[in-house]
Amino acid sequence: MPTQKERIAACCVALVIAAVAAHAQQIVVSKDNRTIAVTTSADANADADTVTVQIGFLVYGEDQDSAYALGSKTSNAIAAALKAASIPQDAIQSESQSIAPVQQYGNQDWTPAEKAERKFQVQQSWSVKTAAANGAKVLDIAVKAGANQSGQMTWSVADQDGLQARAAKLALDRARQIAQQMASGLNATLGPLVYASNEAPAREPGPMMMRAQAMASPSPPAQTPAPLSVSAQKVTASATVYAVFSIQ
């Protein structure tokens, strides 16, 4: 049987081995392993090929039943219009829907007649994902069918991973250039890359906002207007690279 001292010694050896293993991936800088470490970032841009259009409506009624009836009519009219335009069903996702009494803080600017007509409200919204070139068309179809709270557009690219890889390559190329300049300043020769890590910062989409004013009973325009003129945005991916190069 091992003695208590032997057990303590064995435990200490195990802890040392574990510590060595935990630090095995760290870069060791010494006279025998000279390195230059650089952290840099870069962006890659591409034309958006996909857009997600937010559409929705808000209608009112003098009681719950009348509000729900108008909401149901508007909801199904929008769905039918999108279907008639051959928008795939799997491209449409429900976001929210509700029926509720109108709160007093929301009707302070209304006339007494409007307050009497708008005691309940029905709200519903969807997101529609489509080709970037079709964003204005989808919005136009929905608005003309009664979607009086619509317009936010979020632009994206189908190959987001490819765009992210481009950003990482640009950041690594920039890191190599900086390391080369540093090596020259040290009268040294830049060697090969010995370690690199990539951290992709969270990308916040740049939505385009266009919102129609909600009305109790929207009346059709005298003549059908053309769709809004909408231009696709650029999509940006960012990458931050930590790179370590050897020097000779």
Side-chain angles (χ1 to χ4, degrees), residues 1-153:
M1 297 262 320
T3 65
Q4 183 176 2
K5 289 185 176 180
E6 289 173 334
R7 288 195 297 270
I8 293 174
C11 182
C12 291
V13 170
L15 290 174
V16 171
I17 293 174
V20 171
H23 291 82
Q25 300 300 321
Q26 293 184 356
I27 303 300
V28 178
V29 180
S30 69
K31 64 179 182 179
D32 299 321
N33 182 21
R34 298 192 302 165
T35 59
I36 290 177
V38 178
T39 300
T40 187
S41 301
D43 295 336
N45 299 310
D47 292 327
D49 54 30
T50 307
V51 63
T52 300
V53 184
Q54 300 297 137
I55 61 174
F57 69 87
L58 175 64
V59 295
Y60 300 96
E62 59 184 2
D63 53 38
Q64 178 173 298
D65 291 343
S66 61
Y68 186 76
L70 181 56
S72 174
K73 179 180 178 181
T74 306
S75 175
N76 286 282
I78 295 170
L82 294 175
K83 182 177 180 180
S86 300
I87 306 299
Q89 186 62 38
D90 59 2
I92 307 170
Q93 294 189 15
S94 292
E95 296 288 338
S96 65
Q97 48 280 316
S98 66
I99 177 170
V102 174
Q103 302 299 316
Q104 290 186 355
Y105 63 81
N107 65 2
Q108 294 178 353
D109 296 330
W110 295 349
T111 65
E114 288 173 333
K115 290 180 180 180
E117 295 173 352
R118 303 179 184 182
K119 292 183 178 179
F120 280 81
Q121 63 182 28
V122 176
Q123 172 274 335
Q124 189 171 12
S125 63
W126 303 263
S127 64
V128 183
K129 191 172 184 178
T130 187
N134 293 335
K137 175 184 175 182
V138 168
L139 178 62
D140 183 68
I141 291 168
V143 170
K144 290 175 179 175
N148 58 9
Q149 285 202 326
S150 303
Q152 178 174 305
M153 295 187 180

